[in-house]
Amino acid sequence: MNMGETDLQALQQLKDSALWFTVIIFLSTFFISINGFMPLLIIAAILLFIIGFPKLRQAFETFKTAGKHVDYGFTGLELILVGFIIEVIGSIFPIVRLVFVGRVISVFGGILVFIASLLIGLVLYNLGKFYNNELLKVGGIIEIIPVVSFIGWLLVYVSVDEIVRRLSGGFMLYPQEQVGG
């Protein structure tokens, strides 16, 4: 299998976004488990929206340019944004004494976020199938599970180097840096 420059670029972008998702989701999961860390959880969510999602969208766009079917990933990224907004709205209702309404709205938002993760995980799994990499496929599956999704992203991160190494004939390809004076 001959890997083109676009594939290499897409894989590197996927690796970069997987690193951000691993760190941000791990920190979010940690902060949720500890009461009183709401400001740090908000910072993690902001990083996810400002850095994580745009980087993953960029990777999906490059994969699409390379001819890979990643449309579910784009849908997942759109749904996850809507789901998070709905969850935030749901969390506001208990403040105004509409606890039941808030819970229903939050559950609906959580379902959207889960569906979004499922779609993104499906794209990662299919990329693992395309590149014949079991670790990427497993990462795509584990990414779907809310409490341990950061482990899925970590597996995605690790799998990219193996894919690049195998497809480039055993040599790791790194971008050339310009040295000038």
Side-chain angles (χ1 to χ4, degrees), residues 32-49:
I32 287 172
S33 67
I34 299 174
N35 291 331
F37 280 95
M38 188 56 94
L40 295 175
L41 182 60
I42 291 169
I43 291 170
I46 290 170
L47 287 175
L48 191 63
F49 284 103

Side-chain angles (χ1 to χ4, degrees), residues 161-173:
D161 281 339
E162 192 276 323
I163 294 169
V164 171
R165 188 174 21 263
R166 182 173 30 87
L167 296 178
S168 62
F171 297 101
M172 289 298 293
L173 302 174

